[in-house]
Amino acid sequence: MELILVDNPQKAKLFIEVHAIINKHTTNWIRPLDKDIEQVFDPKKNKTFRSGELARWILKDNNGNYIGRIAAFVNKKYKTVGDEQPTGGCGFFDCIDNQEAANLLFDTAKNWLAERGMEAMDGPINFGERDNWWGLVVEGFHEPLYGMNFNPPYYQKLLETYGFQPFFHQLCFSLNVRDRVMEKHYTRHDAIAKDPAYSARYIDKSNLKKYAEDFATIYNQAWKQHGSGKDMAPAQAYLIFKKMKMVMDPKVVWFVYHNDVPIGCWLNLPELNQYFKHLNGKFGLFQKLYFLWLKMTRPNKKLTGIVFGLIPEFQGKGVDSFMIMEGAKIIQHELPYTDYEMQWIGDFNPKMVNVAASLGGFVSRKLTTYRYLFDRTKEFHRHPTV
């Protein structure tokens, strides 16, 4: 076997193609957009390069066949509460069903990380935020959501045989949009609705900047401790919302307010892979026109839950039910969606797991973030509960 370091544009393109070569016959696989993968490795587009570095390799067998790939990355901002060692990451792993080949790829990533002072590696993870390309699918091998990893079932064996252990599980919940929500949400909604201080509304795309600022306000109180720990600037939130504008259905993006101060957000999007699965990874001019044609001619009946949360002060008071039921009035009765799947919730966050389950959802797929300790005698600890 021959390892090839990705060190020029031609090899970078090949790195993307290896994923397609290995997975093209995998049931329910949807090729990610090439541009989405390319921007992860582009210092001009991925701000994580400001605090980290990465390397990529391709694996080829003696017959010239491409049989694997992997990336390794160090990010000084990447840490989990309770970590006892500096931890790097590996991701964008693909491999044929061959343990020797997988071991070579993992060893290569481990050695590169060890040279940079790391004592463990998590994987498969992203060089960036957790909202994309995070975790290994271990249950629920149906069509992946946009930005979600997908892999053949045998990958689990390759990682665990090497010595990776589950650091945390990522649970996705699904439900039928038309099903009646659990009764307790109606009761809690009605109690909050009696107080005129509370209001809920879906966004107005013509006033996107205002809602982006509201989102940043909520994020900085509700979620930043689960991410990098840094505040999200309103300008950063606005860039995110502008990127989503073209595909956003405003009636499925909801905010809740107390005396007009934003206190919670429920952000959903039409499931984009229902369109992108027809584009074979490309998004040039022709594909963009085809995408617009698909949007106009093929109603998307699947909805993806991206973000749901309240600032701590208003948690446990029924405000979540108020926001859900206000949204349900529109989503259940005025819109075409029938299937709903939420982006993953870490099993280290039982509060959010309970919220998802309380909607009547069932676990539709499970991904796992694995950790490998370089010191094999060291005691392994799972992600702490938050």
Side-chain angles (χ1 to χ4, degrees):
M1 293 181 285
E2 177 188 359
L3 270 172
I4 302 170
L5 177 68
V6 175
D7 56 5
N8 62 43
Q10 292 73 29
K11 293 176 184 176
K13 289 183 178 179
L14 184 56
F15 183 83
I16 290 177
E17 288 303 320
V18 170
H19 176 69
I21 290 169
I22 292 177
N23 289 282
K24 62 184 177 181
H25 298 303
T26 302
T27 303
N28 291 329
W29 171 71
I30 295 175
R31 178 169 178 163
L33 295 183
D34 293 354
K35 71 176 187 66
D36 290 343
I37 307 301
E38 289 167 352
Q39 69 183 13
V40 173
F41 300 98
D42 186 345
K44 295 179 181 178
K45 296 181 179 179
N46 186 351
K47 65 179 182 179
T48 311
F49 277 95
R50 301 172 192 170
S51 57
E53 61 175 315
L54 60 80
R56 288 178 283 173
W57 299 268
I58 298 165
L59 186 62
K60 187 165 65 172
D61 70 13
N62 292 332
N63 296 318
N65 300 309
Y66 295 103
I67 60 172
R69 68 171 190 171
I70 200 168
F73 14 81
V74 171
N75 177 6
K76 65 182 180 182
K77 293 182 179 180
Y78 177 66
K79 57 185 65 177
T80 303
V81 175
D83 275 359
E84 299 175 354
Q85 71 288 312
T87 302
C90 66
F92 301 92
F93 166 78
D94 279 297
C95 190
I96 61 171
D97 191 1
N98 181 294
Q99 192 66 50
E100 182 183 359
N103 290 351
L104 178 54
L105 290 167
F106 294 138
D107 280 344
T108 301
K110 178 186 72 174
N111 294 337
W112 185 89
L113 291 169
E115 289 171 0
R116 285 152 182 80
M118 299 297 104
E119 298 175 13
M121 63 178 172
D122 290 351
I125 65 171
N126 186 26
F127 186 58
E129 302 297 332
R130 296 187 180 193
D131 57 346
N132 287 321
W133 321 122
W134 205 281
L136 187 84
V137 183
V138 295
E139 294 178 15
F141 293 88
H142 45 277
E143 290 183 341
L145 303 179
Y146 173 67
M148 178 175 282
N149 278 337
F150 191 76
N151 52 265
Y154 68 82
Y155 278 29
Q156 181 177 4
K157 176 193 67 176
L158 296 179
L159 269 77
E160 293 183 358
T161 300
Y162 181 76
F164 280 97
Q165 295 173 268
F167 186 46
F168 61 87
H169 298 300
Q170 306 159 222
L171 307 177
C172 296
F173 286 81
S174 291
L175 52 83
N176 187 315
V177 173
R178 307 298 183 198
D179 286 348
R180 182 175 173 83
V181 180
M182 294 179 71
E183 201 62 38
K184 65 179 181 180
H185 291 295
Y186 292 89
T187 304
R188 293 172 178 173
H189 165 272
D190 293 346
I192 295 293
K194 293 175 182 177
D195 186 342
Y198 291 97
S199 62
R201 67 185 77 109
Y202 60 79
I203 72 165
D204 177 359
K205 289 173 78 170
S206 67
N207 197 10
L208 208 61
K209 190 172 184 180
K210 177 257 193 294
Y211 289 99
E213 291 173 352
D214 290 349
F215 178 78
T217 298
I218 298 162
Y219 175 89
N220 291 336
Q221 297 179 68
W223 292 299
K224 74 172 184 178
Q225 68 269 27
H226 303 320
S228 64
K230 292 184 63 177
D231 281 353
M232 176 181 288
Q236 181 185 354
Y238 186 45
L239 284 174
I240 295 171
F241 274 51
K242 282 203 299 185
K243 288 180 180 179
M244 293 191 299
K245 185 176 181 180
M246 185 174 120
V247 298
M248 184 185 288
D249 180 342
K251 292 186 177 181
V252 300
V253 180
W254 285 79
F255 285 82
V256 63
Y257 299 85
H258 184 258
N259 291 325
D260 292 325
V261 175
I263 60 172
C265 175
W266 183 24
L267 195 159
N268 306 290
L269 288 175
E271 176 39 43
L272 297 179
N273 266 357
Q274 296 304 301
Y275 301 124
F276 292 159
K277 65 183 179 181
H278 302 289
L279 304 184
N280 192 34
K282 310 305 177 186
F283 205 59
L285 177 59
F286 172 77
Q287 288 80 15
K288 290 177 181 177
L289 293 173
Y290 188 37
F291 168 67
L292 293 173
W293 180 81
L294 288 171
K295 281 187 65 181
M296 291 187 294
T297 60
R298 298 191 184 186
N300 191 341
K301 294 186 177 296
K302 186 163 186 177
L303 195 62
T304 302
I306 307 297
V307 168
F308 183 97
L310 299 167
I311 66 174
E313 179 185 352
F314 290 90
Q315 293 175 6
K317 296 183 177 181
V319 181
D320 53 345
S321 296
F322 175 72
M323 181 165 56
I324 289 166
M325 296 312 302
E326 288 295 298
K329 293 176 185 177
I330 304 294
I331 297 171
Q332 286 188 317
H333 303 294
E334 298 183 15
L335 303 180
Y337 308 104
T338 58
D339 300 311
Y340 182 61
E341 185 170 5
M342 301 170 222
Q343 277 278 12
W344 64 266
I345 303 169
D347 65 352
F348 54 80
N349 189 349
K351 288 183 180 178
M352 282 308 304
V353 170
N354 289 337
V355 168
S358 74
L359 290 173
F362 61 94
V363 176
S364 51
R365 79 176 91 218
K366 182 168 78 172
L367 297 91
T368 298
T369 295
Y370 286 92
R371 172 164 287 185
Y372 180 89
L373 299 176
F374 298 169
D375 180 353
R376 305 308 293 159
T377 66
K378 188 172 183 177
E379 184 178 0
F380 182 87
H381 299 286
R382 290 199 61 193
H383 191 297
T385 300
V386 299

